Amino acid sequence: NTKTNKSSGKINVPWKNIAGGLTDIGVGANGVVWGVNKNMSIYRLRSNNTWENIRGGLKRIDVDNRGNAYGVNKSDHIYKWTGKGGWRRIPGALTDIGVGANGVVWGVNKNQDIYRLKSDGKSWQKIKGKAVRIDVDPNGNAVVVNKSGTPYQWNGKKWLRLPGVLHDISVGPKGKIWGINNNGAIYKYNGKGGWIRANGSANKAISVGPKGPWVINKNSQIYSCSNRSRN
């Protein structure tokens, strides 16, 4: 619902179309990009903007600060890419997962419960609240969207409500928050209680990397921002 997102100005993002079709995308703090498509095939972007197919199947994906992917499959099983060793399963069950620039991992499950991965890398701490989409800021605090589309940011002790209605949310390595809504509108949070409307359209997924946001639109087309100031 774009009417509930009060926009304070506009921002012109220099979007670049990346060949391929995805349903979710994740960008690490080091700029490494992974994605999954409607068949749950997994891909990692090469330096020449072509995609390398990685074995396995995932429905949601994000990337840590070292360029390794975390993801959840159709059975809600959680996996981490370990490099040449392939995928390592992490105990638990999630429907979405997010990784911060400092490597902290959060997730949500089918009951909309929120969890943060403990330092042992295999057990989860339940955090109060409910959400359906999640990402993590550079300080290791989550940003989420609940089933009503209301965004929140964890400040280490409690959830702070952000304005507007979103479908998906992401935070870049410098802490800038971006979001998209069901109507395809793209927004950047101004940090002062308002959203700046960006050009373009995306309503499937968003992930913010060191050069700015990457988005996927209703046709599964992929667009990246090449302007480092936008993150």
Side-chain angles (χ1 to χ4, degrees):
N1 184 352
T2 53
K3 293 181 180 179
T4 61
N5 286 5
K6 294 181 180 179
S7 181
S8 58
K10 294 183 179 180
I11 185 169
N12 184 36
V13 178
W15 295 112
K16 177 183 178 181
N17 179 232
I18 305 296
L22 299 174
T23 53
D24 194 27
I25 195 164
V27 188
N30 63 352
V32 174
V33 181
W34 290 65
V36 295
N37 68 11
K38 63 181 180 180
N39 298 319
M40 288 177 284
S41 299
I42 306 167
Y43 295 92
R44 182 172 55 197
L45 192 65
R46 299 184 179 101
S47 58
N48 64 354
N49 281 345
T50 63
W51 296 95
E52 174 189 5
N53 184 218
I54 305 295
R55 63 183 178 88
L58 297 171
K59 63 180 180 180
R60 294 288 291 176
I61 200 165
D62 204 5
V63 184
D64 69 14
N65 50 338
R66 297 182 178 180
N68 293 317
Y70 284 76
V72 294
N73 68 10
K74 64 180 180 180
S75 300
D76 295 348
H77 297 160
I78 311 158
Y79 290 91
K80 179 186 178 181
W81 180 253
T82 61
K84 294 181 179 179
W87 296 100
R88 174 175 64 85
R89 185 171 174 184
I90 298 173
L94 298 174
T95 53
D96 194 24
I97 195 164
V99 191
N102 63 352
V104 174
V105 181
W106 289 62
V108 295
N109 68 9
K110 65 180 180 180
N111 297 321
Q112 303 162 39
D113 297 321
I114 304 169
Y115 293 91
R116 181 173 54 203
L117 190 64
K118 295 180 180 178
S119 57
D120 61 12
K122 58 184 178 181
S123 59
W124 298 89
Q125 176 187 3
K126 188 176 181 180
I127 306 295
K128 63 179 179 179
K130 295 286 185 178
V132 294
R133 288 285 180 262
I134 196 162
D135 200 15
V136 186
D137 72 18
N139 298 317
N141 293 318
V143 293
V144 301
V145 177
N146 67 16
K147 67 177 182 179
S148 300
T150 307
Y152 290 87
Q153 184 173 23
W154 181 254
N155 72 352
K157 296 181 179 180
K158 63 181 181 179
W159 294 104
L160 303 177
R161 182 173 178 176
L162 300 178
V165 176
L166 299 175
H167 166 69
D168 198 12
I169 194 167
S170 184
V171 190
K174 292 183 180 179
K176 299 298 175 61
I177 302 173
W178 288 72
I180 57 175
N181 68 12
N182 287 320
N183 295 330
I186 305 169
Y187 294 97
K188 179 183 180 181
Y189 188 56
N190 67 5
K192 301 175 182 179
W195 294 94
I196 306 170
R197 176 75 180 268
N199 58 306
S201 178
N203 54 12
K204 282 195 175 180
I206 187 168
S207 186
V208 184
K211 292 185 178 181
W214 291 62
V215 297
I216 301 173
N217 68 15
K218 64 180 181 180
N219 298 318
S220 298
Q221 294 171 316
I222 311 152
Y223 288 87
S224 70
C225 170
S226 58
N227 189 329
R228 190 176 295 271
S229 66
R230 303 301 186 191
N231 67 341

